[in-house]
Amino acid sequence: MSVTTTETQTRSVPITAETILSLFPDIDTSGEALEGHDEEQIRLMDEVCIVTDENDMPIGTASKKLCHLMTNIDKGLLHRAFSVFLFNDKNELLLQQRASEKITFPDMWTNTCCSHPLHMASETGSNLEDSVLGVKNAARRKLDHELGIKKEQVPLEDFHFLTRIHYKAPSDGKWGEHEIDYILFIKANVDLNPSPNEVKDVQYVSAEKLKQLFEDPSLKFTPWFKLICNSMLFEWWANLDTGLDKYKNEQQIRRM
C-alpha cells in the first residue's frame, strides 16, 4: 500500500521546465552540446516545447534543447511536434532542404515544414481537437518563419489533420528526435521567401519525382520523412483530391 502511495505522490509532480531537474536529477542541461553552433539556432533552442506522455497527454514543458539531447531522449523525454505537407494546384509536394546552420539534421531534405507547437495558449491542448487546432496555429507561424509563407495564403480551415506518429530517431551522437508528430496536409499556391538560416533549398516534386530522389545516394532525407513516405504518404497523396476524408482525424497514434 505504501509503495502505491509513494508512486502516486511522485507522479503528481508535473514535469515542467522548473521541476524537470528535481524529477530527473541526471538529465543533461550542459551547454557544451551547443558550442560552435549558429547563434540564431542556439537562441531557438530556448523555445519551450510541450512534453507529453506516450498517449500525447501534456505533462509539462521543457526547452527545445532539453527535448533534443539524446541523453534525455534515452531517458524517455517525449514532446509534441508537427509535419506539414504542402501541395500546389498540380498536386506537387513542396520539399525543403534544411539549412547547414540547423543543429539537428542539417542539410537534409524533408517535407515542407517540421517543427513544434510551443507552450502558449494558442498552440497547446489536452484533448485531440484542441491539440489539432494548436498544431495548425503553430504550423502557420513556422511556415512564415521558415519559408516566408504569409498566413493569409494558408488559412486555418484549409489544413487537414490526418494522424499522429510516435517515433524516435538520432541525428548524431548528441542530438535527436523523440516526438508525437501531427501530420498536416494543405493544398495552396503560395509565395516563397525562405529564411537562409532555416532553409538551404526548396523544390516541388511529383510522387514519381520523389521516388527518384530517394534513389539518389548523394541526397539525405530526415528519418521522420522517410518513415512517413515508407508507410502512408503515397497512398494519402494519391487520394489528395478525391478520397482524403477517409484518412483524416485518425484517433489512434501510429507507433513507428
Side-chain angles (χ1 to χ4, degrees):
M1 191 72 175
S2 61
V3 172
T4 304
T5 303
T6 302
E7 288 179 354
T8 302
Q9 289 173 345
T10 302
R11 290 172 184 167
S12 68
V13 179
I15 302 174
T16 68
E18 291 73 33
T19 64
I20 201 163
L21 291 180
S22 61
L23 291 170
F24 302 101
D26 55 348
I27 203 164
D28 191 340
T29 61
S30 66
E32 293 178 6
L34 292 173
E35 287 181 2
H37 283 289
D38 177 79
E39 285 187 12
E40 173 62 9
Q41 292 298 322
I42 291 173
R43 184 188 70 78
L44 291 171
M45 278 292 184
D46 288 333
E47 290 183 335
V48 180
C49 294
I50 301 164
V51 174
T52 72
D53 64 16
E54 292 206 344
N55 295 314
D56 193 32
M57 182 61 64
I59 55 174
T61 63
S63 70
K64 184 179 173 184
K65 177 195 169 189
L66 283 179
C67 287
H68 290 83
L69 283 167
M70 282 306 300
T71 49
N72 301 334
I73 288 170
D74 289 338
K75 298 183 183 84
L77 200 60
L78 174 65
H79 63 281
R80 186 176 289 170
F82 64 83
S83 289
V84 174
F85 293 75
L86 184 147
F87 302 86
N88 63 15
D89 58 5
K90 300 176 184 176
N91 286 358
E92 295 170 325
L93 173 62
L94 178 61
L95 304 183
Q96 69 153 281
Q97 184 182 22
R98 292 164 66 86
S100 301
E101 289 84 357
K102 299 289 282 187
I103 294 171
T104 58
F105 307 98
D107 300 310
M108 290 189 181
W109 284 93
T110 194
N111 50 285
T112 312
C113 181
C114 326
S115 192
H116 316 90
L118 300 181
H119 181 60
M120 60 177 71
S122 63
E123 296 188 8
T124 192
S126 57
N127 59 59
L128 186 56
E129 183 179 2
D130 290 344
S131 300
V132 167
L133 178 59
V135 297
K136 288 179 180 179
N137 284 325
R140 297 175 80 209
R141 172 177 56 81
K142 288 301 290 186
L143 284 167
D144 188 3
H145 175 231
E146 294 186 4
L147 293 158
I149 298 172
K150 297 308 175 188
K151 290 183 178 180
E152 54 266 25
Q153 293 191 321
V154 283
L156 201 64
E157 61 270 17
D158 288 357
F159 285 92
H160 302 288
F161 164 67
L162 300 186
T163 190
R164 294 168 288 177
I165 64 169
H166 176 191
Y167 76 96
K168 180 163 69 172
S171 173
D172 55 22
K174 294 177 181 177
W175 303 100
E177 293 283 10
H178 187 206
E179 300 180 330
I180 291 182
D181 190 17
Y182 285 61
I183 308 304
L184 301 176
F185 270 32
I186 184 168
K187 190 169 177 179
N189 291 330
V190 296
D191 298 313
L192 298 173
N193 183 23
S195 165
N197 191 256
E198 292 287 331
V199 177
K200 188 173 186 176
D201 199 3
V202 295
Q203 63 172 311
Y204 281 97
V205 295
S206 65
E208 288 307 310
K209 175 65 173 178
L210 180 56
K211 290 174 183 176
Q212 292 173 14
L213 294 179
F214 284 151
E215 299 300 317
D216 186 341
S218 70
L219 301 178
K220 292 184 178 180
F221 295 87
T222 60
W224 63 85
F225 184 46
K226 291 296 291 284
L227 279 172
I228 296 165
C229 289
N230 290 335
S231 56
M232 289 295 291
L233 176 64
F234 293 107
E235 183 176 337
W236 291 331
W237 199 338
N239 287 275
L240 185 60
D241 289 329
T242 55
L244 197 62
D245 283 351
K246 64 178 175 284
Y247 301 106
K248 287 159 57 175
N249 300 311
E250 189 170 270
Q251 302 295 300
Q252 293 296 112
I253 300 169
R254 294 173 179 251
R255 312 289 178 179
M256 303 240 172

